[in-house]
Amino acid sequence: MTLRQQFSILTGLLVLILLSGSLLLTLSNARSAFEQQLNARAYDAATSLALSMSQTAGDRVQLQRQMDALFDRGFFALIELQVTDGSQLQRRADDVVSDVPDWLPRLFALDLLVAEADVTSGWQRLGTLRVLSHSGPAYQDLWTMVRHELQWYGLVLVVSLLLLQWLLRWLLRPLAEVEKQAQAICNRQWPVQRNIPKARELRQMVLAMNQMVKKLRTIFTEQAALTEQLRAETFSDSLSGLLNRRGFDQRLEHILQRRDGHSGVLLLLQLQQLAELNQQQGRQAADDLLHSLGRQLRFWLQGYSAAFAGRRSGSDFALYLPCTGKAQAAVLAEQLYDQLSTTVLSRRQGLVFHLGGVVLQGEQESPAQALSCADAALRQAQHQATGGVKLYDGDSANAELTAGEWRTMLLQVLQNEGLQLLFQPVLAADGKTLQQLEVFSRIEWQGQSFSAGRFWPMVEQHHLAAQFDALIVRNVLRQLQQQVLPAGVRCCVNISPASVLNDAFQRQLQQWLAAAPEAAARLALELPESSLPGTEAALLRLADVVQPFGVALGVDQVGTGNMAFAYLQRLPLQYLRIDGSFNRGLAQAGDHRFFVQSMVQIAHSLDLQVLAEGVEQPADVQALQQVGVGGLSGYAFSRPSAQLQDALNWQPA
């Protein structure tokens, strides 16, 4: 029961009690007045009639006529003359009250007295006259009074309640605003009320709520800033703004050690004459150059999802870009060389640099071996005095496809819907309860198996990301319609930034969700954190499209982007998935553990679920459980399954 209803009931009862008491008091006073009036009328009538009878005492007929004349007026219930000789003359009427409820005479009975007067002739007493007033008209007047009072009191009650509702609505409006304020806090917003009520109690409550909102916002901002500072100090280079050596090696190791495969190119860039520049123009000039180079590399990498760069030492930089083979890697390396040669590392400034790289494809490659091969290619490139590019000449274990062959294959996969889906369980922190199913994709082509890590760079190069995402989502919805998932379990699909920015994809998605509402409620869509800076507005539009159908939204690869954590309170998210590069070796890395724990605290303060991917070691599982991560996935628990039913019936790896 609401406070307004309680006030209304209490006020209604008080008004009823007051009105009932007033009505009873009015009826009691009216009864006393009627009794006095009727008794006085009876005495007056008895006195007057007795005097008149005294003048005609000998004529009984005349006496009877006098009694009838008074009785016929209807004001009296009894007129009786008791003669001294024992005879009597009498007129009596039934004291019947018409149109009056029975309870009124019982509760408010009139105490009427019989008026008596002597009839005489000279000094001789002839008889006694007795007169009793009729109570019917009095009861009718009382009932009329009750009806009028009830109508008036009913009107007063209704008007009072209406006025009370308006008054309560006006007085309790600050409470409604406080309720909205509390709900907004739960939705990761920090509104402050501007209209402060004048009532002292409500004013203090609103001011206290505003103070709490400001405090919570400050706590969240400080905690997010501290976490961002920790990430920057631990994994970033302060001069270039890129990853430092540790951060780059950690990301590279995570990619190369993934069991679902990878495909990309590792490039090493080395500047010449940086020491000379430092001596001739000063340290500030060298620092400015490194800063400009870092900014230029970040700008160039924005066009390639999952790409990253780092500064490994004073003049050495490293980059990793997803690609599908040596041909594409050579094109990317030449593009990077041309981009830098015409901008920040222009030859007019007397700067020389070289690029060496190695194509990495397969599973479980050694990061040390990859860096060694890239370094060998860099040494070969340095044989060119004016700068140049060189890729490692080692044999590739995989067949090399041309760009045309890749396009033909991808278009045929789209036409035949030949994309295969894999499902990997995401378990609760206890390692037993199923929470999600993470969806991966794979292509089988001419006896070869291509994981998303290998074919997706070519999907993006040929601008087919929206079509492939649409195919994946449509197939997942189709399987969800055929297979009932346990309560609360969702299938999580990672979609590309190009799909989020594609209005046609969003319209198609809305149609598919509307056609399968029950399956849509078991779907979750997630986006890599590194793509949020350019897609935040489009992601908000996507949320408006999918959330009415119960689709959850999440962020994948948390910790790999450069976006401030303030996006957590701006976007309507349900969960975060921390990148596997932070989870690998967490038990031995104290700074990683502190970063993950800080992320968990920030997320939990915003009612977001935190998941961890790529977990393989039991020690890391225990460390993640201790810092409060709510869900875990990786080969430590289960391998991906080609059948949805097999993933639901997962067994420990």
Side-chain angles (χ1 to χ4, degrees):
M1 185 179 295
T2 64
L3 183 62
R4 184 181 301 172
Q5 292 173 334
Q6 295 179 11
F7 268 117
S8 299
I9 293 175
L10 178 60
T11 304
L13 290 176
L14 290 176
V15 172
L16 285 176
I17 293 174
L18 291 175
L19 295 181
S20 299
S22 177
L23 179 61
L24 292 176
L25 184 60
T26 301
L27 290 177
S28 178
N29 293 334
R31 180 184 63 180
S32 300
F34 283 141
E35 287 178 352
Q36 293 178 2
Q37 183 179 0
L38 293 177
N39 289 332
R41 177 187 293 176
Y43 279 112
D44 291 344
T47 302
S48 176
L49 183 59
L51 180 61
S52 178
M53 285 181 172
S54 296
Q55 297 176 2
T56 58
D59 190 348
R60 297 180 66 89
V61 175
Q62 187 66 23
L63 293 176
Q64 186 66 46
R65 289 178 178 177
Q66 290 178 348
M67 291 176 58
D68 292 343
L70 183 61
F71 183 81
D72 291 341
R73 296 176 64 181
F75 295 126
F76 304 99
L78 173 66
I79 300 179
E80 180 184 63
L81 177 62
Q82 188 71 35
V83 186
T84 54
D85 60 3
S87 62
Q88 67 177 12
L89 299 176
Q90 184 185 67
R91 292 297 303 272
R92 180 184 293 273
D94 294 333
D95 200 5
V96 178
V97 182
S98 61
D99 301 329
V100 176
D102 296 337
W103 58 266
L104 186 63
R106 289 198 303 269
L107 295 178
F108 298 94
L110 296 175
D111 185 14
L112 299 183
L113 302 177
V114 178
E116 295 182 354
D118 291 335
V119 178
T120 61
S121 177
W123 295 102
Q124 183 180 0
R125 178 175 174 274
L126 299 178
T128 302
L129 181 65
R130 303 176 64 202
V131 178
L132 178 65
S133 294
H134 200 300
S135 61
Y139 283 122
Q140 289 179 346
D141 290 343
L142 282 177
W143 175 236
T144 301
M145 183 184 301
V146 170
R147 286 190 291 111
H148 290 168
E149 290 285 340
L150 289 177
Q151 292 174 358
W152 169 248
Y153 291 162
L155 178 62
V156 171
L157 179 62
V158 171
V159 172
S160 299
L161 291 178
L162 291 177
L163 291 176
L164 178 64
Q165 292 296 316
W166 175 83
L167 181 61
L168 289 176
R169 184 184 298 273
W170 180 75
L171 287 176
L172 300 180
R173 184 171 53 185
L175 291 180
E177 295 298 326
V178 168
E179 180 182 1
K180 294 179 181 178
Q181 198 174 16
Q183 293 174 348
I185 293 174
C186 296
N187 294 329
R188 305 184 288 280
Q189 300 174 2
W190 316 106
V192 175
Q193 290 196 47
R194 303 299 180 186
N195 297 324
I196 308 299
K198 296 181 179 179
R200 179 179 178 183
E201 294 80 0
L202 296 177
R203 180 183 181 87
Q204 292 177 342
M205 178 191 64
V206 171
L207 291 176
M209 192 68 179
N210 284 345
Q211 185 177 3
M212 183 186 72
V213 168
K214 294 178 181 178
K215 188 66 175 179
L216 289 175
R217 180 170 56 190
T218 301
I219 292 174
F220 173 81
T221 303
E222 292 176 350
Q223 188 175 15
L226 180 61
T227 305
E228 292 171 9
Q229 182 181 358
L230 171 65
R231 179 174 64 176
E233 293 178 352
T234 306
F235 307 110
S236 298
D237 178 68
S238 58
L239 282 179
S240 63
L242 304 174
L243 295 172
N244 57 20
R245 184 188 188 98
R246 180 184 181 186
F248 183 87
D249 290 352
Q250 173 185 297
R251 293 275 296 275
L252 180 64
E253 180 182 7
H254 173 65
I255 291 176
L256 298 185
Q257 293 296 315
R258 291 178 61 175
R259 301 190 189 185
D260 54 350
H262 58 269
S263 180
V265 57
L266 172 63
L267 297 175
L268 296 182
L269 182 153
Q270 188 175 70
L271 284 173
Q272 305 295 326
Q273 295 94 27
L274 183 62
E276 290 80 352
L277 177 65
N278 194 358
Q279 293 177 357
Q280 295 173 4
Q281 301 184 23
R283 180 176 178 180
Q284 186 61 45
D287 291 348
D288 292 342
L289 174 63
L290 294 176
H291 178 75
S292 299
L293 178 58
R295 183 174 64 247
Q296 186 65 37
L297 289 176
R298 291 197 304 273
F299 175 77
W300 188 73
L301 291 178
Q302 287 179 359
Y304 304 94
S305 62
F308 55 94
R311 182 187 177 205
R312 296 182 56 81
S313 63
S315 59
D316 295 335
F317 293 80
L319 301 90
Y320 178 85
L321 294 93
C323 69
T324 55
K326 191 171 183 179
Q328 188 185 11
V331 173
L332 293 175
E334 290 291 345
Q335 289 178 350
L336 175 60
Y337 185 84
D338 294 340
Q339 178 77 14
L340 296 178
S341 297
T342 57
T343 55
V344 65
L345 299 181
S346 171
R347 293 179 182 176
R348 289 178 297 178
Q349 301 179 14
L351 298 172
V352 178
F353 69 99
H354 299 84
L355 281 174
V358 60
V359 177
L360 305 172
Q361 285 185 338
E363 299 179 1
Q364 298 287 305
E365 289 193 75
S366 168
Q369 182 64 28
L371 289 168
S372 176
C373 293
D375 185 68
L378 177 62
R379 300 295 169 245
Q380 293 180 11
Q382 288 175 341
H383 292 165
Q384 306 176 38
T386 58
V389 180
K390 183 66 177 179
L391 291 182
Y392 185 70
D393 294 329
D395 295 333
S396 175
N398 299 298
E400 185 76 17
L401 299 178
T402 65
E405 290 173 335
W406 273 109
R407 182 173 178 82
T408 300
M409 179 184 71
L410 295 176
L411 291 177
Q412 188 168 349
V413 169
L414 288 174
Q415 182 179 358
N416 299 332
E417 296 189 1
L419 196 67
Q420 296 183 2
L421 300 181
L422 302 175
F423 303 89
Q424 186 174 37
V426 179
L427 307 177
D430 58 8
K432 301 177 181 179
T433 306
L434 183 64
Q435 283 190 341
Q436 293 181 346
L437 293 172
E438 196 170 1
V439 181
F440 302 96
S441 56
R442 182 176 62 188
I443 292 177
E444 298 290 341
W445 177 263
Q446 297 181 353
Q448 296 187 65
S449 179
F450 298 92
S451 66
R454 291 194 59 192
F455 73 80
W456 199 260
M458 195 57 69
V459 168
E460 294 183 334
Q461 179 177 336
H462 290 291
H463 306 290
L464 299 174
Q467 290 91 319
F468 269 84
D469 281 340
L471 177 60
I472 294 172
V473 172
R474 189 164 65 249
N475 287 342
V476 170
L477 288 174
R478 192 176 301 156
Q479 295 201 39
L480 289 177
Q481 288 180 290
Q482 300 172 357
Q483 178 68 52
V484 178
L485 300 185
V489 176
R490 296 178 182 269
C491 280
C492 303
V493 178
N494 196 311
I495 59 177
S496 66
S499 300
V500 177
L501 296 170
N502 192 312
D503 293 337
F505 172 81
Q506 294 199 19
R507 289 193 296 269
Q508 277 188 334
L509 181 61
Q510 186 175 25
Q511 294 174 0
W512 296 331
L513 297 178
E518 294 184 0
R522 298 297 185 205
L523 182 67
L525 302 177
E526 55 190 45
L527 199 68
E529 185 188 55
S530 58
S531 64
L532 291 181
T535 60
E536 185 172 342
L539 186 58
L540 289 173
R541 294 197 300 271
L542 179 65
D544 293 336
V545 171
V546 303
Q547 287 190 335
F549 300 99
V551 178
L553 290 178
V555 175
D556 190 22
Q557 301 175 12
V558 172
T560 61
N562 295 320
M563 195 172 183
F565 292 131
Y567 74 84
L568 295 177
Q569 58 181 325
R570 295 195 300 266
L571 296 177
L573 305 173
Q574 280 74 47
Y575 67 93
L576 307 176
R577 197 184 308 277
I578 297 178
D579 188 70
S581 60
F582 292 95
N583 305 322
R584 186 184 299 273
L586 184 69
Q588 290 78 33
D591 50 357
H592 284 197
R593 182 166 181 163
F594 183 77
F595 172 75
V596 173
Q597 186 173 10
S598 299
M599 279 301 307
V600 170
Q601 292 175 352
I602 292 175
H604 286 177
S605 68
L606 300 174
D607 292 333
L608 296 176
Q609 187 181 21
V610 182
L611 311 173
E613 64 177 1
V615 185
E616 297 189 2
Q617 299 301 323
D620 296 336
V621 172
Q622 184 177 4
L624 288 167
Q625 292 172 338
Q626 292 174 350
V627 299
V629 170
L632 307 169
S633 65
Y635 281 77
F637 302 99
S638 175
R639 300 177 63 88
S641 302
Q643 299 296 327
L644 178 58
Q645 184 61 48
D646 294 340
L648 292 174
N649 299 328
W650 68 278
Q651 297 295 328

